[in-house]
Structures are given as C-alpha cells and as structure tokens.
C-alpha cells in the first residue's frame, strides 16, 4: 500500500526587477542619495531629500504577489494598540508566520532589498530585522516620533493600500522640519502611500515623522519594520527641562468664591460629600461649577481671545493664550485659582493640605507641608491637537492635585472624538484613570509623583473646539491609590 507524501509548500519566487538590478540605476541612486538630490518623476523609484532622505521602490512586487500577500496579511489576527502616541492594529511578528506569500516576501526583503539598501547608503545591517503587519482604520494615527531606539538603523514600509488611495484619505507619511536643537517644528512634506511601493529611510535624531489620521472608512494596510545595525545613529542627549516654580497662594477674602462658584459647592454639607467621593476614588468631577453669569462671560472671552500654537510636535500640539497674563474675565479666573481662598475650597473638596488656612484636626502635620500652585494656564483644543508623555515629566515632581476646568464643548461630545485626559503610571500601558472633558466642569485628580497625564489626540470627529483651564497643587499623598 502506497502512502501519499505531504505536499511541500511551494513558495513564489520573488526577485528585484531587472531595472533595480542595473548598476547604472544603483550608481545614480547612490550619488543622488549622498548628495541629497531628488528623484521624483521615475516610474521605478522616488527619492525625496527634504527634510531628510526618504526613498521608495515602486511596484516592487509582481501585482499578483502583492495581492496574495495582502490577502494573507488580512487573514492574520490583529491586536489593537492605543496609547498617547498611536492607535493602530498590529499582527504578531511576521518572522513567526509561515504562510507562502508572507514567507516569500520576508525572504525577499531580508535578501535582495536589504542588500540594495546597504549599497545605496554604504553600510551593513546585522541579522536583526523587525517585521509586522500594520492596519490603520478610520481615525487611527501615529503621532510625531523619530524611530530612534536601540539598534534601529533604517525604517521601512511596504504599502498594500487600495490603488485608489490618495491624500484625501489621510494616512499620509508626514515628514517634519527640525529646528537647531533637532526638535520637530512643522510638517515639511506629506507622502501619500502607493500600493506595492517599498518606502525606507535612515533613522536619526532628525527623522521626525508621523502617520496622519485616516479620514475615510477604509484601511491603510502595510508591512512595516526596521533593519538594525551594530553602529546605530548617535543621538543628541535631551536637554534637561527646568521644573515649573511653585507660587505661594495669594491672599484673598473667601467672599471672592461667591462671585464665581455655584453656591451649592460652598455648602459645607455638599463639600463633605464631595470629599468623601474624592477620598474613595482619588478623583471627582463637579458639574455646573461656575455660576451662569461668570460662565457666560468666560466662554465669550475665550471665543474671542488670541491663541498661538505650542510645540515641539514630539511632545505637544495645542494652542495657548498669546498673553497668559491678560486681564478681563480670563485673567480674573486664573487669578482666582492662585488665591488662598480657592486652595481652601479645594482642601474642603479633597481633604488634602493645600492651604495653611485649612484646619483639619485629623491631620495636624498639614502645617509642615509646602503649599502653592504651579502651571496655571488656559489651552484651546481642536482637531489634530494632542499632548504626549515624556520621561522628563516625572523628574523631581511631588505628589500633586491636578485641577482641570473644561468648557464650551458641544452637547453631543463623545470620548471617541479624543481630547480626554488619561493618567498612567510610569512604565505602565493601561491608564489608571480617564477624565473626559465636560462642560462647565471642574475635575480634581490626585496623582503620585510617578503618575503622569496626557491629552489624547483629538480626531476629525470633533464638531467644535473646546477649552481647558488647568493648574497643579502640591500635596501629600496619605496613601491614596
């Protein structure tokens, strides 16, 4: 009796096109890459050199191979990843996948493509190569970053987007100009993904880029990874950031609160209930916080204020008042937050030692603690705005009470629009707490010294801009969270 043998998996054969193997083409690309001279009108490849070199090999695979590769990628399981920097879907490491077309394309990248890029840039990669399938769905994005990490040398993307993909779909590869300190400033160029093109660039402390938000109900498919080197780029050390100064509370009569705050929150019975909730949850949100008159006046002035954009883009993109020391209702509200009267009110809400004027017989040690407010200001949030986490955000900071006042949100705001504040522990991935902005609402959050916050990217769903007044108060933890 004959036993049928198992069919061996036959891998498709993939080679570089004849043109990409021509020595004259390689020599021309080497020369122009080194001299930063662009190649933009070739059907074979393109090279853009500003703000940094990015090269792409067009139609790098036979079309049938690219289509079958896409099908195998789509058949894999994807994990949704979301944090301050990104929202996207990612496969397992493609080095562990043995399906025919993924295996064949992986071998092709690791051999022919790798050798060609090594010739162009004049370096040798080591054997370490990262490779994942990536899917950006509608409203997914990847914010400004440089890809500089460990031994990474060259980043690459094999685009498998629909052939109809264009700039109106979003998902562009945005390249940032850098200032004299290598900080990303403005987008200098946006490259639209092309089906079956292999895009690559060397990483450096100036290779700032992002994937813009996908704006259509479609998916930006790709295979992405990095070639590694035993001699990765040398990075400039980050400049130390000075910590914001602590300003002592300004003396003010408690009656000032009556002209601003809704009277219900000046009721001791209500403040006691608020304090109980805060001590249970380490956070509390107080709706209808300002009285109607002050609320209307504040919103009117915010809508007519002058704003300027803040950066750098690897840390933040939002607007601040051009003159944070301006007068008017905005200035009066900021001054209120810095008063001892407001600190006393917050102490009643939280039980935290924020003012020498707040007496609590259960905590006589209050008098030995520092008091004061820092980083008091106003921000405006619109589509495309965000703030990112930084390791420097936790250096030398004490436990803090974070105060946020949001206003002028549209009535149907949903957290899926972004713009919410997320607190996270250093080195952690899951948020400890999420604070969605709510109209005329004061949110109070206790955070330890190793807990930091970011404001999630505001996506294109947002119907209108909104505003946030924020401040931080030094305090003692008393074992919370």
């Amino acid at each position: 009796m004959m036993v049928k043998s198992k069919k061996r998996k036959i891998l498709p054969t993939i080679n570089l096109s004849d043109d990409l193997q021509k020595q004259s083409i390689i020599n021309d690309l080497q020369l122009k890459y080194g001299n930063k001279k662009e190649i933009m009108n070739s059907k074979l490849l393109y090279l853009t050199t500003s703000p940094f070199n990015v090269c792409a090999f067009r139609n790098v695979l036979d079309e049938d191979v690219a289509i079958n590769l896409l099908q195998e990628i789509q058949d894999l399981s994807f994990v949704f990843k979301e944090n301050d920097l990104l929202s996207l879907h990612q496969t397992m490491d493609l080095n562990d996948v043995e399906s025919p077309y993924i295996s064949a394309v992986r071998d092709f990248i690791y051999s022919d493509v790798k050798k060609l890029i090594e010739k162009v840039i004049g370096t040798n990669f080591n054997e370490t190569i990262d490779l994942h399938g990536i899917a950006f769905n509608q409203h997914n994005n990847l914010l400004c970053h440089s890809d500089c990490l460990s031994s990474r040398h060259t980043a690459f993307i094999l685009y498998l987007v629909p052939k109809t993909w264009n700039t109106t779909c979003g998902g562009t590869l945005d390249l940032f100009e850098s200032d004299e300190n290598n900080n990303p400033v403005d987008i200098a160029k946006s490259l639209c993904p092309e089906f079956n093109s292999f895009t690559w660039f060397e990483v450096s402390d100036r290779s700032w880029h992002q994937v813009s938000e996908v704006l259509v109900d479609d998916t930006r498919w790709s295979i992405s990874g990095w070639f590694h080197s035993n001699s990765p780029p040398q990075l400039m050390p980050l400049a130390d950031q000075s910590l914001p100064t602590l300003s002592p509370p300004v003396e003010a009569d408690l009656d000032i609160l009556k002209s601003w705050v809704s009277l219900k929150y000046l009721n001791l019975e209500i403040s006691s209930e608020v304090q109980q909730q805060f001590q249970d949850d380490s956070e509390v949100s107080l709706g209808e916080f300002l009285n109607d008159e002050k609320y209307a006046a504040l919103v009117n002035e915010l809508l007519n204020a002058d704003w300027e954009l803040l950066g750098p883009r690897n840390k933040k993109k939002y607007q601040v008042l051009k003159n944070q020391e301006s007068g008017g209702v905005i200035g009066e509200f900021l001054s209120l937050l810095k008063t001892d009267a407001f600190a006393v009110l917050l102490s009643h809400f939280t039980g935290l030692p924020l003012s020498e004027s707040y007496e609590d017989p259960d905590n006589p040690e209050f008098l030995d603690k520092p008091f004061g407010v820092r980083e008091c200001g106003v921000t405006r949030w619109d589509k495309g705005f965000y703030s990112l986490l930084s390791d420097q955000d936790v250096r030398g900071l004490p436990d803090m009470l974070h105060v946020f006042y949001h206003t002028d949100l549209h009535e149907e705001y949903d957290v899926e629009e972004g713009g919410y504040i997320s607190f996270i522990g250093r080195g952690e991935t899951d948020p400890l707490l999420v604070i969605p902005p709510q109209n005329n609402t004061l949110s109070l959050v206790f955070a330890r010294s190793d807990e930091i916050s970011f404001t999630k990217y505001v996506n294109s769903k947002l119907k209108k801009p909104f505003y946030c007044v924020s401040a931080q108060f030094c305090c003692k933890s008393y074992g919370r969270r």
Side-chain angles (χ1 to χ4, degrees):
M1 179 178 174
M2 295 183 63
V3 178
K4 291 183 178 180
S5 62
K6 289 184 178 180
K7 287 185 178 180
R8 294 185 63 185
K9 189 180 294 182
I10 300 176
L11 301 183
T13 301
I14 306 174
N15 297 301
L16 286 171
S17 69
D18 291 340
D19 285 338
L20 274 179
Q21 296 185 64
K22 288 180 180 178
Q23 194 60 47
S24 59
I25 297 291
I26 297 173
N27 290 343
D28 184 59
L29 180 56
Q30 282 178 318
L31 184 64
K32 289 180 176 174
Y33 188 92
N35 293 328
K36 298 183 75 68
K37 293 188 178 298
E38 296 197 338
I39 305 172
M40 297 304 292
N41 297 318
S42 169
K43 292 183 179 180
L44 182 64
L45 58 86
Y46 72 74
L47 170 65
T48 181
T49 59
S50 177
F52 52 89
N53 284 4
V54 178
C55 185
F57 304 136
R58 290 183 161 122
N59 299 311
V60 71
L61 305 172
D62 288 340
E63 186 167 324
D64 287 344
V65 172
I67 291 171
N68 282 287
L69 173 64
L70 174 59
Q71 183 61 60
E72 287 187 357
I73 293 294
Q74 291 173 334
D75 289 341
L76 297 176
S77 296
F78 282 77
V79 175
F80 180 59
K81 294 181 174 290
E82 184 172 39
N83 53 36
D84 60 317
L85 183 67
L86 55 81
S87 60
L88 53 81
H89 299 76
Q90 179 177 296
T91 68
M92 63 186 291
D93 188 341
L94 295 185
N95 289 301
D96 299 324
V97 177
E98 296 302 328
S99 53
Y101 286 90
I102 291 175
S103 298
V105 171
R106 180 181 63 226
D107 293 346
F108 170 64
I109 293 172
Y110 291 7
S111 56
D112 292 13
V113 175
K114 177 183 174 184
K115 291 175 183 176
L116 176 56
I117 295 175
E118 286 176 330
K119 287 180 182 178
V120 173
I121 64 180
T123 194
N124 291 312
F125 302 131
N126 61 29
E127 297 304 311
T128 301
I129 302 176
D130 303 313
L131 200 65
H132 292 88
I134 304 291
F136 287 88
N137 293 335
Q138 188 174 26
H139 303 304
N140 289 169
N141 71 311
L142 172 58
L143 294 172
C144 182
H145 64 292
S146 68
D147 269 348
C148 282
L149 182 67
S150 183
S151 61
R152 290 177 182 174
H153 188 286
T154 298
F156 61 83
I157 313 105
L158 173 56
Y159 288 118
L160 299 169
V161 294
K163 291 183 179 180
T164 55
W165 200 274
N166 58 62
T167 54
T168 64
C169 300
T172 53
L173 178 63
D174 297 335
L175 313 180
F176 286 83
E177 199 71 62
S178 299
D179 64 17
E180 64 277 6
N181 296 314
N182 289 347
N183 291 314
V185 187
D186 296 314
I187 295 174
K189 189 169 293 183
S190 294
L191 304 177
C192 185
E194 297 179 14
F195 174 73
N196 195 17
S197 66
F198 188 94
T199 298
W200 57 273
F201 57 89
E202 294 180 79
V203 303
S204 73
D205 50 11
R206 298 179 71 87
S207 61
W208 297 107
H209 62 284
Q210 70 175 15
V211 177
S212 67
E213 179 187 350
V214 173
L215 302 174
V216 292
D217 186 14
D218 208 340
T219 302
R220 181 191 190 270
W221 301 99
S222 68
I223 290 177
S224 299
W226 296 270
F227 295 117
H228 290 249
S229 170
N230 294 329
S231 301
Q234 298 298 309
L235 307 181
M236 289 180 60
L238 288 172
D240 283 335
Q241 294 176 328
S242 59
L243 293 174
T245 57
L246 184 68
S247 303
V250 177
E251 291 294 330
D253 194 289
L254 289 174
D255 285 343
I256 191 175
L257 298 174
K258 296 178 182 177
S259 64
W260 280 91
V261 179
S262 296
L263 293 180
K264 63 180 178 181
Y265 292 119
L266 303 181
N267 182 298
L268 287 178
E269 185 176 340
I270 296 296
S271 64
S272 178
E273 293 174 2
V274 170
Q275 184 178 132
Q276 184 60 55
Q277 182 179 341
F278 180 86
Q279 292 181 344
D280 289 342
D281 302 331
S282 294
E283 60 92 11
V284 68
S285 291
L286 309 177
E288 299 179 336
F289 183 71
L290 297 185
N291 62 49
D292 292 344
E293 179 184 352
K294 290 295 187 183
Y295 171 72
L298 180 62
V299 169
N300 180 66
E301 201 165 288
L302 289 170
L303 289 172
N304 292 285
D306 291 326
W307 303 89
E308 60 184 350
L309 204 57
L310 205 62
R313 298 295 180 265
N314 62 321
K315 295 180 180 178
K316 65 192 75 168
K317 181 185 178 182
Y318 52 78
Q319 289 179 316
V320 296
L321 276 177
K322 280 191 174 180
N323 183 8
Q324 292 276 6
E325 302 300 323
S326 61
V329 180
I330 298 174
E332 291 174 10
F333 188 40
L334 291 175
S335 296
L336 172 69
L337 299 184
K338 300 174 184 178
T339 64
D340 187 63
F342 193 76
V344 170
L345 181 64
L346 294 180
S347 289
H348 279 288
F349 287 155
T350 64
L352 294 171
L354 306 176
S355 168
E356 293 179 344
S357 303
Y358 176 66
E359 297 180 2
D360 188 335
D362 296 329
N363 292 294
E365 57 194 293
F366 276 11
L367 296 179
D368 299 327
K369 304 296 171 271
F371 305 106
V373 61
R374 67 175 80 215
E375 291 193 335
C376 185
V378 189
T379 51
R380 181 179 182 270
W381 296 88
D382 203 351
K383 297 173 185 177
F385 289 4
Y386 57 86
S387 68
L388 299 178
L389 297 175
S390 166
D391 287 341
Q392 293 183 329
D393 290 339
V394 296
R395 291 183 184 178
L397 289 178
D399 295 340
M400 305 285 278
L401 177 70
H402 294 257
V403 178
F404 306 99
Y405 173 80
H406 287 98
T407 191
D408 202 37
L409 282 92
H410 66 86
E411 294 181 358
E412 298 177 358
Y413 167 82
D414 188 274
V415 291
E416 290 188 359
E417 299 173 27
Y420 57 82
I421 297 168
S422 183
F423 280 83
I424 193 168
R426 189 176 189 181
E428 300 295 325
T429 56
D430 296 326
L432 297 166
L433 180 68
V434 169
I435 303 295
Q438 301 175 72
N439 239 353
N440 194 13
T441 296
L442 188 78
S443 298
L444 308 177
V445 180
F446 168 77
R448 295 190 184 281
S449 59
D450 60 350
E451 295 169 354
I452 49 182
S453 65
F454 65 89
T455 301
K456 183 62 178 173
Y457 173 83
V458 183
N459 63 46
S460 59
K461 289 184 179 180
L462 188 73
K463 295 182 177 63
K464 58 178 284 193
F466 63 89
Y467 304 87
C468 180
V469 181
S470 60
Q472 297 175 346
F473 291 79
C474 282
C475 61
K476 182 177 169 62
S477 67
Y478 296 104
R480 287 193 176 85
R481 217 184 354 246

